[in-house]
C-alpha cells in the first residue's frame, strides 16, 4: 500500500484485508509527518517512510524529494507482487515507474478528491498514472463513467469496487436508542432536532451556505459542524465567528473523533445536510443513510448506486435548501420512516464485512494477470 498509510480509511481497509486473506501487507508512507510509528505497526508487516526535505529552492527541493522517495521505495523486497497506490500525488509516477521495472502489478485506487477536483495539469498527470497502471479502481459508478469518458483507454482496466466503512458495520449491528445516546453525548433536553452539517473542514462543504439560513430556525435545534480534517484553523475560526453571530445552539468538532463517538453522533443526528461541491459517494453520506437520518443532498451530486437501489434522500439546490430543511423538520416522522428503509441496501453497498471478499478476489485475479469485473 502506497500513500498516506496512516489515513484512517486505509488502516481500516488493511485490517479487514488481513483478516480475510493471507496477504502480507507492507506500507510505503508519502505523508510521514502524519504517521505514528507504534500505530502503523498494528496494520503493516513493515512500513517505509519517505521523509520530505525543506530546502528553500523549490526545484532543488523537488529533486531531492524524488531521490529520497525513490531510494526509500527501492527498499521493498522483491517478493511483493502487487503495489496499490492511494491518494494520487506528484510522487506516484516515479514509484509506478520503479514498480514497472521490478515487474510488480500496479493498482491505482482513485478517490473523488484525486479526480473530481482536478485541474488540467492534474488531469494530464492522472493520464500518465493510468497508462502505467495495470488496474484502476474507484468506488462510484458515476465517477467511473466520467473517468472512462475522459480517458477512453482505461475502459478495459477500470473496476468499480466499494470502499467500505467500519462505521456502517457498527451502526448496522448497534442496538442503541437515540434518546439514550443523546444523553451520553450531552445534548440538552430542550433540543428537538440535531442537524449535522457536512463532515469535514473543507471549504467545499459549503458551510457558509448553511449558516446563512440558520437565523430562520428556532432555538430548539442543535447544529453540529464536524471539522476534524481537510481544513485550516483560520477557516474554522471564521465559521465559528459566523455561528456565534447567529446566536444558535451549535457545536464545532475539531478533535479526532474515535469510531464509537462518531457512531453516537450519527445515531443522535436527525437531519444531515450534504451540499459539498463534488463527491464520489462518501462514507459519511452512506452512514447517515443507513442510520435512517433524513439526508438533504445537493442535487448536483450524482450517485448511480443510490438511484439503482431506489435509496431515499431529499435532493436540493442551494436556492431551495432553506425550504427543504423546514420541510424535513415539519415532516420528520414520515421522512424518517422512508429513510429507515435504506438500512439493508446501504449495508450491501458500504459494509466492509460484505465487500472485503470482493477485494480479496480482485487482488487474487490481478496477481494472476487476469481482468476482474464487478
Amino acid at each position: 500500500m502506497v500513500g498516506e498509510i496512516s489515513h484512517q480509511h486505509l488502516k481500516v481497509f488493511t485490517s479487514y484485508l488481513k483478516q480475510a486473506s493471507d496477504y502480507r501487507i507492507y506500507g510505503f508512507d508519502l505523508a510521514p509527518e502524519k504517521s505514528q510509528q507504534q500505530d502503523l505497526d498494528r496494520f503493516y508487516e513493515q512500513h517505509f517512510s519517505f521523509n520530505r526535505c525543506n530546502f528553500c529552492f523549490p526545484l532543488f527541493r523537488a529533486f531531492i524529494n524524488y531521490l529520497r522517495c525513490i531510494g526509500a521505495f527501492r527498499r521493498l523486497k522483491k517478493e511483493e507482487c502487487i503495489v496499490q497506490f492511494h491518494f494520487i500525488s506528484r510522487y506516484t509516477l516515479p514509484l509506478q515507474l520503479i514498480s514497472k521495472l521490478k515487474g510488480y502489478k500496479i493498482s491505482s485506487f482513485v478517490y473523488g478528491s484525486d479526480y473530481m477536483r482536478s485541474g488540467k495539469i492534474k488531469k494530464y498527470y492522472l493520464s500518465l498514472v493510468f497508462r502505467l497502471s495495470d488496474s484502476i479502481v474507484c468506488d462510484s459508478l458515476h465517477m467511473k463513467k466520467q473517468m472512462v469518458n475522459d480517458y477512453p483507454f482505461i475502459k478495459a482496466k477500470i473496476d468499480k469496487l466499494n470502499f467500505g466503512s467500519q462505521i456502517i458495520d457498527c451502526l448496522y449491528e448497534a442496538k442503541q436508542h437515540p434518546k439514550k445516546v443523546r444523553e451520553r453525548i450531552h445534548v440538552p433536553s430542550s433540543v428537538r432536532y440535531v442537524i449535522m452539517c457536512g463532515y469535514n473542514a473543507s471549504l467545499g462543504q459549503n458551510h457558509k451556505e448553511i449558516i446563512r439560513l440558520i437565523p430562520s430556525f428556532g432555538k430548539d435545534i442543535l447544529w453540529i459542524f464536524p471539522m476534524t480534517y481537510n481544513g485550516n484553523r483560520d477557516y474554522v475560526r471564521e465559521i465559528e465567528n459566523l455561528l456565534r453571530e447567529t446566536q444558535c445552539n451549535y457545536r464545532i468538532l475539531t478533535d479526532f473523533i474515535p469510531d464509537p463517538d462518531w457512531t453516537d453522533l450519527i445515531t443522535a443526528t436527525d437531519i444531515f445536510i450534504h451540499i459539498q461541491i463534488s463527491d464520489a459517494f462518501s462514507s459519511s453520506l452512506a452512514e447517515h443513510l443507513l442510520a435512517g437520518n433524513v439526508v438533504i443532498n445537493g442535487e448536483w451530486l450524482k450517485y448511480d448506486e443510490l438511484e439503482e437501489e431506489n435509496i431515499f434522500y431529499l435532493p436540493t439546490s442551494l436556492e431551495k435548501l432553506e425550504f427543504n430543511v423546514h420541510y424535513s423538520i415539519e415532516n420528520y416522522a414520515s421522512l424518517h420512516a422512508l429513510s429507515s428503509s435504506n438500512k439493508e441496501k446501504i449495508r450491501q453497498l458500504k459494509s466492509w464485512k460484505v465487500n472485503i471478499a470482493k477485494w480479496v478476489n480482485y487482488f487474487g485475479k490481478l496477481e494472476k494477470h487476469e481482468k476482474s469485473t464487478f
Side-chain angles (χ1 to χ4, degrees):
M1 298 294 175
V2 180
E4 294 182 24
I5 62 173
S6 63
H7 196 288
Q8 185 67 13
H9 289 327
L10 197 47
K11 290 192 295 187
V12 171
F13 177 35
T14 57
S15 65
Y16 275 96
L17 191 58
K18 286 171 68 175
Q19 294 172 30
S21 71
D22 59 356
Y23 285 118
R24 288 180 294 172
I25 302 174
Y26 296 81
F28 182 77
D29 197 3
L30 293 179
E33 70 277 5
K34 300 179 182 179
S35 303
Q36 297 180 14
Q37 181 84 14
Q38 57 193 29
D39 186 32
L40 293 179
D41 289 339
R42 294 170 46 211
F43 299 94
Y44 305 97
E45 187 159 327
Q46 292 184 47
H47 51 90
F48 307 89
S49 179
F50 157 49
N51 295 308
R52 295 190 174 97
C53 62
N54 297 305
F55 290 105
C56 296
F57 302 104
L59 290 177
F60 187 60
R61 181 171 67 240
F63 178 69
I64 296 299
N65 279 337
Y66 275 127
L67 291 181
R68 287 187 171 184
C69 191
I70 291 170
F73 196 71
R74 288 175 65 87
R75 295 168 58 193
L76 289 174
K77 296 178 180 179
K78 291 184 178 180
E79 58 199 34
E80 283 84 70
C81 59
I82 299 173
V83 182
Q84 185 167 63
F85 291 86
H86 291 259
F87 308 106
I88 306 299
S89 73
R90 62 186 182 278
Y91 301 105
T92 301
L93 198 58
L95 302 185
Q96 285 193 329
L97 288 169
I98 295 174
S99 299
K100 278 292 184 185
L101 291 173
K102 288 195 170 188
Y104 300 155
K105 303 301 291 184
I106 300 173
S107 170
S108 294
F109 186 88
V110 185
Y111 295 79
S113 56
D114 290 333
Y115 168 73
M116 299 181 77
R117 300 174 193 175
S118 299
K120 290 183 179 179
I121 295 176
K122 180 69 176 289
K123 287 285 181 72
Y124 175 74
Y125 183 83
L126 283 173
S127 72
L128 301 178
V129 168
F130 294 160
R131 288 187 185 280
L132 284 171
S133 301
D134 297 290
S135 175
I136 301 157
V137 192
C138 66
D139 71 345
S140 162
L141 282 175
H142 182 70
M143 184 170 144
K144 178 183 175 182
K145 292 175 182 177
Q146 284 187 309
M147 288 172 64
V148 171
N149 184 63
D150 287 344
Y151 309 98
F153 67 89
I154 71 174
K155 185 175 183 180
K157 58 181 177 181
I158 186 169
D159 284 303
K160 186 267 183 184
L161 275 172
N162 293 335
F163 208 66
S165 162
Q166 194 172 27
I167 302 296
I168 291 290
D169 292 316
C170 293
L171 285 167
Y172 185 83
E173 296 166 4
K175 304 296 181 183
Q176 302 184 89
H177 193 282
K179 185 177 180 180
K180 292 182 179 179
V181 173
R182 285 192 178 195
E183 292 173 356
R184 188 159 62 242
I185 64 174
H186 309 295
V187 175
S189 58
S190 58
V191 170
R192 187 179 179 192
Y193 294 105
V194 175
I195 300 180
M196 189 177 292
C197 309
Y199 60 86
N200 65 38
S202 166
L203 279 76
Q205 296 284 331
N206 273 327
H207 298 111
K208 294 179 184 179
E209 291 290 340
I210 300 172
I211 293 172
R212 69 175 176 79
L213 59 85
I214 285 178
S216 67
F217 293 87
K219 301 291 185 180
D220 58 349
I221 294 175
L222 175 62
W223 303 83
I224 296 182
F225 289 76
M227 307 184 78
T228 60
Y229 66 97
N230 274 8
N232 60 66
R233 293 180 181 177
D234 290 339
Y235 179 68
V236 173
R237 195 179 298 115
E238 180 186 4
I239 293 301
E240 184 157 23
N241 289 336
L242 291 173
L243 284 167
R244 193 179 294 116
E245 291 175 6
T246 67
Q247 299 183 339
C248 68
N249 296 320
Y250 71 89
R251 286 186 191 174
I252 291 183
L253 310 175
T254 57
D255 296 329
F256 172 76
I257 304 173
D259 285 354
D261 294 342
W262 184 248
T263 302
D264 284 348
L265 277 168
I266 298 289
T267 304
T269 297
D270 299 298
I271 299 168
F272 177 53
I273 302 176
H274 184 246
I275 56 168
Q276 66 173 328
I277 295 170
S278 62
D279 184 50
F281 194 12
S282 65
S283 294
S284 293
L285 173 63
E287 290 155 12
H288 284 278
L289 287 168
L290 181 133
N293 299 335
V294 177
V295 171
I296 301 174
N297 192 68
E299 63 185 11
W300 58 90
L301 302 173
K302 303 298 182 182
Y303 309 102
D304 294 352
E305 297 92 337
L306 302 187
E307 302 305 322
E308 287 183 1
E309 296 295 331
N310 198 29
I311 290 172
F312 174 77
Y313 63 90
L314 286 177
T316 188
S317 62
L318 292 179
E319 293 75 21
K320 293 184 178 180
L321 178 60
E322 183 176 343
F323 168 83
N324 278 309
V325 177
H326 277 291
Y327 179 79
S328 298
I329 291 171
E330 293 165 3
N331 300 277
Y332 179 76
S334 59
L335 294 176
H336 174 65
L338 290 171
S339 301
S340 297
S341 65
N342 295 328
K343 186 172 183 178
E344 184 58 37
K345 297 173 184 177
I346 292 294
R347 178 175 178 261
Q348 292 299 316
L349 286 174
K350 282 291 187 177
S351 162
W352 267 130
K353 290 184 177 180
V354 171
N355 286 286
I356 195 60
K358 297 177 182 178
W359 277 97
V360 174
N361 187 36
Y362 163 79
F363 284 123
K365 289 190 173 185
L366 184 59
E367 185 179 1
K368 296 173 183 177
H369 310 286
E370 298 176 5
K371 174 70 174 67
S372 56
T373 305
F374 298 99

